[in-house]
Amino acid sequence: MLNVPELLREITGSIKACDWMSASVPALILLVVGYALNNQTWRLVTGKRSPLQAEGTQNQLLQCKLTCFVLCSITGRALVAPVTWLAVTLINGSYYVCAMSEYVSVYYYGANPNITASERKQILAAFPCSQLVPPELSRARDEVILLLRYQSQVAGWLLIAVVVITVFLSYCLASCFSPLSFLHFRYWTSYVHNEQELFDEATDQHSKLYAIQHIRKFFGFVPGSENVGEIRIPSLREWQAISGLAFLKLVDEEHYDYSLLHDWALKGSVDRKYLKLDEDPVTTT
């Protein structure tokens, strides 16, 4: 025999669980994505287990303070998206109504008080679904939904206000304790930005010039050359040497091989089997 109260409890329970997941899971995903897309996160964690990194850390207290500062900065930036999601969700009010409806008292809205506490809780839990609410409680449901939406919107705007004030006070405190003046700070910001851009350009050019040396050794010419007199014919063993999966290979205490081609090019002498390009193969035949 169908147990209506039990079925009602299961339906409302599953709806509430889905609503809680719909509200919390996107915020958690946005938080993780915020951490992952911040370059400072990878700068903070990359190479921390390296022996050279441990040897280079002299002042542990200063390093700990710097790590905490960078971590707070990363967290602040990562929280922007999930906090925005939560604020929009609260202002919309639907998730809050579903989560809090069973905790509202309906005695002030003309509802029938002659029911048990468990039955009242089941009925209140079903308020977000109008099809599950008895007709005599329609007015009470409308009043409760209106109240909960108002509370949710107030909570959303309070969250926005708290975040804005916290960010403003954080910037104020950081500026107050900054060792630099206003114009000096602007210069430092500009310098860091320009240094990073120039470093990226130098990294790209340096790695390209370094890779050209290895490519020339393998193929016998530099890519982009207009007058190529001969090309090198790699052997089967050499093709096998540069194929496959490559990881960083420690050469000595200070240097790595970055790829299989890099490792092959640094091994020393190789055979010099070249093909001349001076003669036209069509005319010679």
Side-chain angles (χ1 to χ4, degrees), residues 54-95:
E55 293 176 1
T57 305
Q58 300 294 335
N59 193 334
Q60 295 292 339
L61 180 60
L62 180 61
Q63 186 70 19
C64 182
K65 290 182 179 180
L66 182 60
T67 301
C68 292
F69 175 77
V70 174
L71 187 60
C72 291
S73 177
I74 295 172
T75 303
R77 295 176 183 273
L79 283 174
V80 172
V83 168
T84 302
W85 164 262
L86 290 177
V88 172
T89 301
L90 287 173
I91 291 176
N92 177 267
S94 58
Y95 295 110

Side-chain angles (χ1 to χ4, degrees), residues 216 221-229:
R216 179 195 284 120
F221 70 98
V222 177
S225 301
E226 296 182 358
N227 299 320
V228 180

Side-chain angles (χ1 to χ4, degrees), residues 4 219 230:
V4 176
F219 289 109
E230 59 182 9

Side-chain angles (χ1 to χ4, degrees), residues 54-250:
E55 293 176 1
T57 305
Q58 300 294 335
N59 193 334
Q60 295 292 339
L61 180 60
L62 180 61
Q63 186 70 19
C64 182
K65 290 182 179 180
L66 182 60
T67 301
C68 292
F69 175 77
V70 174
L71 187 60
C72 291
S73 177
I74 295 172
T75 303
R77 295 176 183 273
L79 283 174
V80 172
V83 168
T84 302
W85 164 262
L86 290 177
V88 172
T89 301
L90 287 173
I91 291 176
N92 177 267
S94 58
Y95 295 110
Y96 183 87
V97 169
C98 184
M100 302 301 296
S101 62
E102 61 183 289
Y103 303 105
V104 177
S105 175
V106 296
Y107 296 131
Y108 300 102
Y109 304 102
N112 183 13
N114 298 323
I115 55 177
T116 63
S118 60
E119 292 176 343
R120 182 175 64 85
K121 189 174 183 179
Q122 293 175 14
I123 294 175
L124 289 173
F127 268 24
C129 304
S130 58
Q131 299 85 352
L132 302 178
V133 179
E136 62 271 15
L137 294 178
S138 298
R139 178 179 174 275
R141 175 189 177 275
D142 294 339
E143 295 290 342
V144 168
I145 296 298
L146 184 63
L147 173 65
L148 293 177
R149 287 188 180 276
Y150 169 76
Q151 293 177 352
S152 180
Q153 291 177 0
V154 171
W157 286 112
L158 284 177
L159 176 62
I160 294 175
V162 169
V163 171
V164 170
I165 293 174
T166 302
V167 172
F168 174 73
L169 292 179
S170 299
Y171 275 105
C172 288
L173 290 176
S175 300
C176 290
F177 289 98
S178 174
L180 305 179
S181 62
F182 178 73
L183 294 179
H184 197 179
F185 179 79
R186 289 180 59 184
Y187 174 82
W188 173 68
T189 305
S190 177
Y191 170 83
V192 172
H193 175 72
N194 291 328
E195 181 189 73
Q196 186 61 47
E197 285 190 346
L198 293 173
F199 184 85
D200 292 340
E201 294 177 5
T203 300
D204 180 70
Q205 185 174 357
H206 183 281
S207 59
K208 184 178 294 184
L209 293 174
Y210 194 35
I212 282 176
Q213 308 305 317
H214 307 148
I215 295 295
R216 179 195 284 120
K217 190 172 184 179
F218 190 80
F219 289 109
F221 70 98
V222 177
S225 301
E226 296 182 358
N227 299 320
V228 180
E230 59 182 9
I231 59 174
R232 181 178 178 275
I233 307 301
S235 65
L236 177 60
R237 186 180 298 275
E238 290 169 339
W239 280 113
Q240 292 175 346
I242 69 168
S243 302
L245 298 177
F247 296 94
L248 284 176
K249 179 181 178 182
L250 184 63

